[in-house]
Amino acid sequence: MSDAIRINLATTRKPKPKDQDLTFGTVFTDHMFLSDFQEEKGWYDPRVEPYGPLVLDPASAVLHYAQAVFDGLKAFRGRDGKIRLFRPQKHVERLNNSARRMCIPPLDPELALRSLTTLVDVDRDWVPSMVGTSLYIRPTIVATEPFLGVRPAKQYVYYVILSPVGAYYPEGMNPVKILTEEHHVRAVEGGVGGAKTGANYAASLYAAEEAKHKGYTQVLWLDGRHRRYIDEVGTMNIMVRMGDEVITPPLAGSILAGVTRDSVITLLRDWGYAVVERQLAIDEVMAAADQGTLREMWGTGTAAVISPVGELAFKDRRVAISGGRIGELTQKLYDTIVGIQYGTAPDPHGWTVEV
Ligand SMILES: Cc1ncc(COP(=O)(O)O)c(C=O)c1O
């Protein structure tokens, strides 16, 4: 990609929703970032354009064989009025890792970072300010080559869109009920579960709908081979505080390398907790519940930051965790990360990038 980002500003601006009316992913800002790829040219023409539809040939490879990747991160308006992105370099790194797995040519990381900061800067008035609200950033790459053969495409578009989003917990953090899924699997080791690619989300819908009908918020996914080891919860990484340890599944290919996961592990180790990345059987979790050593369980992800698990169902058993309330470490992790994001707590690891 050539380095200069061309900026073509919108001549009309959309009305902005009120902070208190924001939900998730329904409203988009005035501009988008775009860059194209062709085999002969590499990535070229990085630009900011007015937000609008993409023109895709109906034969575009992405529409048939799902060759696509995305990522998701947020910009926050702090109490001090400053706008901060949370760990954008780590998200760019993950986008490129996902791209490599899906045979998509990676982006220049420096320019990809600038695509995020430049676009957020152009649409900075869209970053909401009410506590808990943020500007969600969705970088995406899709295969645009019109070709029906099954092989990596030779043309792509990289684009970034922005969406102001509401507080995940408008009434405070809320423990969720999760159902351990025994039949359907989201991903298997050796597959694409470690990549942020649309196919994984399509694969997750059926079981998630079933769980919702049964009154659960999320599915706890088990590994695809043995249906025994816990993988992820909904679209979050999972952590279990048992005895004196916090245990979380290893990054072995079937789960996404969550940026929040990495942040939480770092904080816990800073605070002197023992964090173990290992396979954790659902039977072991249920046994810990029986023995009274299952202390806390939470999901980690950009959307909710930390999501406490209040109830876990497996086969015909349901166990309450932390008495169905928010555990002490769960709360401390949430408060610390949110503090860093909004600039009200120190950022010792330099995780935020100001725009
Ligand atoms: C499948 C899946 N796992 C885990 C995560 C959590 O990752 P992060 O903390 O980077 O948002 C996400 C959300 O991005 C996800 O979609």
Side-chain angles (χ1 to χ4, degrees), residues 67-348:
Q67 201 196 355
V69 293
F70 66 98
D71 218 282
L73 67 158
K74 284 176 171 177
F76 303 87
R77 190 183 295 278
R79 289 265 176 78
D80 54 5
K82 288 185 180 157
I83 295 172
R84 296 175 178 83
L85 306 193
F86 188 68
R87 307 194 72 183
Q89 296 94 334
K90 195 91 185 147
H91 285 277
V92 164
E93 189 186 309
R94 185 171 69 189
L95 181 68
N96 273 340
N97 288 339
S98 301
R100 284 184 202 97
R101 179 64 182 82
M102 303 309 287
C103 297
I104 292 173
L107 303 161
D108 167 17
E110 188 273 328
L111 190 63
L113 176 62
R114 269 200 296 135
S115 72
L116 309 178
T117 52
T118 304
L119 184 65
V120 170
D121 189 28
V122 168
D123 276 341
R124 59 189 302 125
D125 291 348
W126 282 88
V127 185
S129 43
M130 211 171 88
V131 178
T133 62
S134 57
L135 187 70
Y136 185 77
I137 307 170
R138 173 53 64 86
T140 307
I141 309 175
V142 300
T144 51
E145 186 191 2
F147 177 63
L148 295 184
V150 178
R151 58 140 171 81
K154 295 181 178 177
Q155 287 173 27
Y156 299 86
V157 62
Y158 165 57
Y159 63 89
V160 185
I161 54 176
L162 306 174
S163 174
V165 299
Y168 197 89
Y169 297 116
E171 277 110 37
M173 229 193 320
N174 194 13
V176 295
K177 286 166 65 173
I178 64 172
L179 176 66
T180 309
E181 172 58 58
E182 295 171 71
H183 306 290
H184 301 291
V185 298
R186 173 190 167 272
V188 286
E189 221 179 300
V192 295
K196 209 160 166 63
T197 185
N200 288 324
Y201 299 81
S204 76
L205 297 176
Y206 193 91
E209 283 300 291
E210 276 191 338
K212 263 186 214 145
H213 287 137
K214 292 179 189 160
Y216 293 90
T217 325
Q218 301 274 3
V219 166
L220 180 67
W221 297 105
L222 297 180
D223 78 284
R225 192 150 22 137
H226 311 278
R227 312 280 163 89
R228 184 163 170 228
Y229 300 104
I230 65 173
D231 252 0
E232 292 193 279
V233 56
T235 58
M236 290 182 288
N237 295 111
I238 183 80
M239 299 194 180
V240 185
R241 185 179 184 199
M242 283 168 49
D244 297 328
E245 291 179 338
V246 174
I247 305 168
T248 194
L251 301 178
S254 67
I255 69 169
L256 192 73
V259 175
T260 319
R261 175 188 182 278
D262 181 82
S263 310
V264 165
I265 291 174
T266 304
L267 288 174
L268 289 173
R269 289 189 175 145
D270 286 354
W271 297 339
Y273 287 91
V275 183
V276 187
E277 295 175 70
R278 67 159 170 93
Q279 286 191 318
L280 176 60
I282 182 69
D283 302 323
E284 196 183 333
V285 177
M286 297 313 270
D290 290 339
Q291 291 152 11
T293 53
L294 175 58
R295 299 168 70 182
E296 294 179 57
M297 188 164 175
W298 63 82
T300 67
T302 295
V305 185
I306 304 287
S307 182
V309 176
E311 185 184 312
L312 171 64
F314 175 53
K315 296 193 193 293
D316 51 3
R317 293 196 55 197
R318 288 158 167 239
V319 296
I321 301 172
S322 313
R325 290 183 291 277
I326 302 164
E328 143 234 2
L329 197 51
T330 308
Q331 186 71 52
K332 184 174 174 189
L333 285 165
Y334 178 80
D335 292 342
T336 304
I337 294 181
V338 169
I340 294 170
Q341 291 173 333
Y342 288 89
T344 55
D347 178 12

